[in-house]
Amino acid sequence: MSRTARPRLGLALLASAFLVAAATAVPAPAHAEEVTDYSLTVDPTAKGPAIDRTMYGVFFEDINRAADGGLYAELVQNRSFEYSTDDNASYTPLTGWTADGTAQVLNDPGRLGDRNRTYLSLAAGSSVTNTGYNTGIAVEDGKKYDFSVWARAGSGTTLTVTLHDTGGPLATARRVAVRKGGWVQYGATFTATRTSTTGRLTVASSAATALDMVSLFPRDTYKHQPNGLRKDLAEKIAALRPGFVRFPGGCLVNTGSMRDYSEASGWQRKRSYQWKDTVGPVEQRATNANFWGYNQSYGLGYYEYFRFAEDIGAMPLPVVPALVTGCGQNKAVDDDALLERHIQDTLDLVEFANGPATSTWGRKRAEMGHPKPFRLTHIEVGNEENLPEEFFARFTRFRAALQARYPYLTVISNSGPDDSGTTFDRAWRLNRDAEVDMVDEHYYKSPRWFLQHNDRYDSYDRSGPKVFLGEYASQGNAFKNGLAEAAYMTGLERNADIVELASYAPLFANEDYVQWRPDLVWFNNHASWGSANYEVQKLFMNNVGDRVVPSTATTTPDAAGPVTGAVGLSTWNTSAAYDDVKVTAADGTTLLDDDFSGGAPAWTHTGTGSWSVQDGQYVQTDTTAENTMVRAGDPAWHDYDLRVKATKKAGREGFLVAFGVKDTGTYYWWNIGGWNNTRTAVEQAVDGGKSTLIAKPGSVETGRTYDIGVKVRGRQVTLHLDGREWGSFTDDKPAEPFRQVVTRDAKTGELIVKVVNAQSSAARTAIDLGRAKVAPRARAATLAAAPDAVNTETSTPVAPVTSTFTGAAARFTYTFPANSVTFLRIKQG
């Protein structure tokens, strides 16, 4: 599908076209005889790859409080008093609670159950109040809320339960009589008398009592299921019409201990996500330390995931541990008995999903309320393992056991945490040689990278494993990020015979508990909103089509010049000393020569950390600071040689030597001994989003001085370490802003012409549909906004505009607005 460069119109004419388009809020067709900027040719008689309805999906991981305090509708935080320092150094068993009187959390044989280890002992006349999440417990006037609690009392007592905020009661108080004896679950229902986002739930007791599993649930959950999901968040996922739901991780799956939650393991709290911990009655489910720094209650577990996937018509796609940790831990677990147990757990998982109600685990599913199977067809083993040999040895055993018992299963492997490099290449070789069904790729890159790599899958081996793009994002939630992802998605669809599944990540972020950016859907305790990226995903996922129709388009001339910019020094969680910095032009002229004998006046500190001149060296001393950049020189510098000596003094990583520095968000740096001192790579940052250009394994020794050299010539860069060439690259791949793909919707008989124009000028385009007979009226859906536009709770500048276009024909001209994604659905006659 060749793309031929074509000259562009003058800026004045383009600006005029854009103003017309902006004024009408919908694309305005140009006359066929006018000169155009691009041409788009479609061959409706040719047959491209088929696109499965499951191609686009979502990936749910409990990060950014996506589960507790998010999709899981429970309004009480720390309902079972299980928070601990294992979850977060600041936590106590009463985090989320305040006490009036005497309240003590106990861990003794009087507990509710072995897997629910702690409970609250409340003295007579005392009370506890829960603060909920964000600003408090959010309630809506007239809505019902179901309270429940497990209680045990030696002599019987009355609980007074109130829902209130600083303005007074939010509902009529409820009195719950607790009988003398052992643990019993009690309940009551509140009807909110006004709306509040700062509510509190208070439980007071007239006599000594023990409490556990204090819960408040909105009656109106998604699909009205008990132990259900927050409605607005679930509806936002459902509106995407995802083909699959990948869960539960992510780093939750392949980090922490692989042992179970039992006395034999010492009630291990920092465990990998293991599915058997998350099914059955909620009061009997285990709790766990979340990798992202908080507690996860497992109220939202495997059964709820399966039910949700079924409710929205999506394929469930669970991920299980492979007994090789990742996400910076990078350790293979050598315990064959433990490996066999996890393999059996995975076989049991398939039985839980698909087995008859008469089977052991099928019966457990039926007891939870779902006698019919969930029709599981895909399962993934492992997530981003950075030890390909060790991972694959274990993956092979999982796959053999699964396919022996369930030959219909697609068992998915992965290629590590990056889009390229030694681990990626080795993992792909192992997967290809073993004829694995599907390989999961993950990468988070700059918008520029996505604009540059639309052709990534064009050259993949058509006879090899299929690709599951399980995690990707362009490192931002502005519309420019969504535009870059949209341009990339046209390449995913064009290669639908290779890329069978794809999901943006992460899915959710609670605005007050963020561990990772960007995210698809943002929320707080009372509202939610889709990001610009969400609107792009929704447009593609709601207009997939059944088959690609081959098309070609002209391209934008590339005006890239040489790599230009100043130089910089930085560190990441490391203290390092730099000396003898010298920058020499290609003709031998000295541009910078600094041995720091006179201080560091040439350097500007733009990052974090603490820099000072010590013993004739420029030293950064803070071992906890990230990106401590200092820079020197002229942003117009080009074609130069940079030399610097560097010595690691302390910390987790190595050196960051920057070149081509234009501003705080746009530069290249050579990251020597990064990723916890395991890898060396060159990264390119554009507007703050980074992409890896070349990477190799490598580490840095503390106390040793390294001689670092960077040679910049045009767009080619050569790197030397201690006098030896380490590697080189040429950054000359154009970031094409105009991309397209065409698909056919067999159900409606429409061609779907999908065009991304990620530039600040409108694109007048001559569209040739071959000899196709089409109706003159077409439906258009357009996303157009300023590149930096961001959706928020109160403002949605990135939203689709639908319109009718009446100029469709076998050949016609259409103007695609600046910074836009446009889908034209054209009915074939």
Side-chain angles (χ1 to χ4, degrees):
M1 300 181 184
S2 62
R3 300 174 63 85
T4 308
R6 186 182 186 95
R8 305 296 312 279
L9 284 178
L11 290 177
L13 188 56
L14 287 177
S16 175
F18 173 57
L19 288 173
V20 171
T24 58
V26 296
H31 296 297
E33 67 270 21
E34 289 184 314
V35 176
T36 55
D37 308 312
Y38 296 92
S39 63
L40 193 165
T41 303
V42 183
D43 185 356
T45 64
K47 183 179 288 189
I51 307 176
D52 196 278
R53 65 162 296 275
T54 60
M55 177 174 181
Y56 292 125
V58 295
F59 164 45
F60 181 92
E61 179 177 10
D62 187 0
I63 183 174
N64 309 315
R65 289 280 191 186
D68 296 326
L71 183 62
Y72 186 48
E74 174 65 75
L75 297 174
V76 174
Q77 183 178 178
N78 189 18
R79 66 183 178 187
S80 60
F81 310 100
E82 293 282 344
Y83 277 27
S84 93
T85 52
D86 285 335
D87 310 320
N88 188 292
S90 67
Y91 282 2
T92 75
L94 281 173
T95 293
W97 296 90
T98 58
D100 184 4
T102 302
Q104 184 180 7
V105 176
L106 302 178
N107 181 349
D108 62 26
R111 63 179 64 90
L112 176 59
D114 280 347
R115 294 166 70 80
N116 196 331
R117 304 292 295 167
T118 59
Y119 65 96
L120 182 73
S121 175
L122 192 63
S126 299
S127 67
V128 286
T129 298
N130 193 263
T131 60
Y133 296 93
N134 300 93
T135 56
I137 293 173
V139 296
E140 188 176 344
D141 186 20
K143 294 292 183 70
K144 293 184 181 298
Y145 297 86
D146 292 321
F147 166 81
S148 64
V149 63
W150 284 81
R152 171 173 56 80
S155 59
T157 186
T158 297
L159 301 179
T160 301
V161 187
T162 56
L163 189 58
H164 55 93
D165 63 11
T166 56
L170 293 169
T172 301
R174 294 287 182 258
R175 297 189 184 278
V176 178
V178 176
R179 300 186 298 274
K180 177 182 176 180
W183 289 102
V184 176
Q185 187 179 32
Y186 300 90
T189 297
F190 291 99
T191 300
T193 54
R194 57 188 176 87
T195 296
S196 175
T197 62
T198 59
R200 300 290 188 267
L201 179 75
T202 296
V203 181
S205 181
S206 61
T209 186
L211 304 177
D212 207 346
M213 298 298 290
V214 183
S215 173
L216 186 68
F217 251 86
R219 177 75 58 83
D220 189 15
T221 58
Y222 186 69
K223 299 289 185 179
H224 306 286
Q225 293 179 10
N227 197 48
L229 307 181
R230 179 170 149 176
K231 193 172 183 179
D232 63 324
L233 295 182
E235 287 177 342
K236 279 189 168 53
I237 304 177
L240 294 170
R241 301 179 192 170
F244 65 88
V245 179
R246 177 180 182 248
F247 62 89
C251 290
L252 301 188
V253 168
N254 68 337
T255 55
S257 170
M258 298 294 165
R259 300 183 71 188
D260 63 2
Y261 193 56
S262 67
E263 185 176 7
S265 70
W267 304 106
Q268 177 62 249
R269 280 291 293 269
K270 295 184 177 182
R271 309 183 310 284
S272 64
Y273 196 110
Q274 299 174 42
W275 79 271
K276 288 181 179 178
D277 288 341
T278 77
V279 297
V282 291
E283 70 275 8
Q284 295 176 16
R285 299 183 189 182
T287 190
N288 202 2
N290 183 298
F291 173 82
W292 298 108
Y294 53 90
N295 177 271
Q296 50 190 340
S297 72
Y298 287 150
L300 175 58
Y302 258 72
Y303 177 77
E304 288 76 25
Y305 286 127
F306 277 124
R307 283 294 300 262
F308 181 53
E310 181 180 68
D311 285 342
I312 62 177
M315 176 181 78
L317 203 166
V319 186
V320 298
L323 272 72
V324 177
T325 59
C327 301
Q329 296 182 359
N330 300 336
K331 181 179 178 180
V333 179
D334 291 318
D335 184 331
D336 198 64
L338 188 56
L339 175 62
E340 285 297 326
R341 194 268 287 174
H342 275 268
I343 291 172
Q344 184 60 52
D345 281 355
T346 306
L347 293 170
D348 292 343
L349 170 60
V350 182
E351 184 178 286
F352 176 78
N354 292 353
T358 55
S359 65
T360 299
W361 287 100
R363 183 179 303 110
K364 172 70 74 172
R365 181 195 68 239
E367 290 170 352
M368 295 184 71
H370 200 282
K372 293 182 179 180
F374 283 118
R375 296 183 294 181
L376 177 66
T377 60
H378 292 62
I379 193 166
E380 184 172 355
V381 178
N383 170 77
E384 292 188 11
E385 282 73 24
N386 207 26
L387 302 171
E389 304 285 351
E390 292 88 341
F391 162 73
F392 204 74
R394 290 156 179 78
F395 170 82
T396 301
R397 291 176 62 176
F398 275 89
R399 183 174 71 145
L402 285 164
Q403 293 188 333
R405 186 174 300 183
Y406 305 106
Y408 59 84
L409 270 183
T410 296
V411 184
I412 303 171
S413 180
N414 74 79
S415 57
D418 300 300
D419 68 299
S420 60
T422 305
T423 296
F424 178 88
D425 292 341
R426 182 56 182 157
W428 256 105
R429 172 54 60 192
L430 291 167
N431 285 310
R432 190 175 291 111
D433 289 348
E435 299 182 347
V436 168
D437 294 328
M438 187 176 289
V439 177
D440 188 2
E441 295 187 355
H442 294 178
Y443 38 83
Y444 297 90
K445 300 293 181 182
S446 68
R448 179 179 175 82
W449 186 94
F450 282 97
L451 293 175
Q452 288 177 314
H453 290 85
N454 178 274
D455 62 349
R456 175 179 175 87
Y457 296 108
D458 289 1
S459 58
Y460 268 49
D461 181 2
R462 261 54 195 171
S463 63
K466 303 302 182 184
V467 171
F468 173 22
L469 180 50
E471 298 184 32
Y472 72 98
S474 72
Q475 299 174 335
N477 275 147
F479 189 47
K480 63 187 175 186
N481 301 97
L483 284 169
E485 291 154 5
Y488 193 71
M489 292 170 79
T490 66
L492 299 183
E493 290 192 7
R494 187 175 67 251
N495 290 285
D497 58 327
I498 289 293
V499 184
E500 289 195 347
L501 305 171
S503 51
Y504 179 102
L507 179 59
F508 282 127
N510 185 319
E511 66 176 353
D512 291 333
Y513 311 93
V514 181
Q515 291 86 39
W516 184 279
R517 299 171 188 267
D519 303 283
L520 203 63
V521 176
W522 289 79
F523 65 93
N524 50 39
N525 65 348
H526 63 278
S528 59
W529 56 97
S531 64
N533 320 67
Y534 173 88
E535 295 299 340
V536 166
Q537 292 289 323
K538 185 178 178 182
L539 190 59
F540 273 85
M541 294 167 77
N542 281 253
N543 296 277
V544 180
D546 309 286
R547 184 175 292 277
V548 175
V549 181
S551 63
T552 59
T554 53
T555 59
T556 310
D558 183 38
V563 171
T564 61
V567 298
L569 307 171
S570 189
T571 60
W572 198 286
N573 292 327
T574 302
S575 173
Y578 293 95
D579 203 359
D580 297 333
V581 181
K582 188 168 185 177
V583 181
T584 308
D587 63 2
T589 304
T590 298
L591 302 175
L592 175 69
D593 192 353
D594 200 342
D595 63 3
F596 303 106
S597 58
W603 299 84
T604 301
H605 187 188
T606 61
T608 62
S610 178
W611 289 87
S612 62
V613 175
Q614 301 177 13
D615 300 324
Q617 296 179 313
Y618 203 18
V619 183
Q620 199 292 116
T621 56
D622 189 342
T623 57
T624 64
E626 299 178 348
N627 192 4
T628 63
M629 179 84 78
V630 291
R631 69 183 188 214
D634 190 334
W637 280 354
H638 63 88
D639 296 296
Y640 56 77
D641 294 278
L642 165 64
R643 293 286 299 276
V644 59
K645 291 180 180 178
T647 307
K648 175 179 176 178
K649 300 177 73 67
R652 292 165 48 187
E653 304 203 351
F655 318 116
L656 294 165
V657 176
F659 54 96
V661 180
K662 294 185 178 180
D663 54 47
T664 56
T666 302
Y667 53 84
Y668 302 81
W669 67 19
W670 190 6
N671 189 346
I672 304 171
W675 294 270
N676 290 322
N677 206 18
T678 62
R679 193 157 63 105
T680 296
V682 176
E683 297 178 282
Q684 180 185 24
V686 179
D687 293 333
K690 289 198 290 291
S691 301
T692 302
L693 302 181
I694 180 175
K696 299 178 183 179
S699 60
V700 167
E701 298 175 23
T702 301
R704 174 184 165 188
T705 298
Y706 292 80
D707 190 0
I708 298 166
V710 180
K711 180 179 180 179
V712 180
R713 293 294 184 274
R715 299 204 67 80
Q716 183 173 1
V717 178
T718 306
L719 305 120
H720 290 83
L721 190 61
D722 289 335
R724 294 184 178 182
E725 183 175 324
W726 177 86
S728 64
F729 67 92
T730 302
D731 182 24
D732 61 356
K733 196 173 181 65
E736 174 58 54
F738 186 85
R739 293 292 186 184
Q740 98 296 332
V741 71
V742 180
T743 63
R744 177 180 286 112
D745 187 332
K747 184 179 294 185
T748 64
E750 293 171 311
L751 290 175
I752 311 174
V753 179
K754 311 174 187 184
V755 175
V756 180
N757 181 30
Q759 56 190 329
S760 59
S761 55
R764 296 192 300 177
T765 306
I767 300 175
D768 186 346
L769 300 180
R771 298 180 180 179
K773 294 182 179 180
V774 299
R777 294 174 64 86
R779 293 184 291 157
T782 305
L783 292 171
D788 292 327
V790 176
N791 287 351
T792 68
E793 179 183 354
T794 58
S795 175
T796 312
V798 183
V801 174
T802 59
S803 60
T804 300
F805 170 60
T806 59
R811 290 184 177 87
F812 66 100
T813 301
Y814 196 91
T815 298
F816 296 98
N819 301 307
S820 68
V821 184
T822 303
F823 281 28
L824 298 174
R825 297 189 69 113
I826 303 171
K827 187 82 171 180
Q828 290 186 272

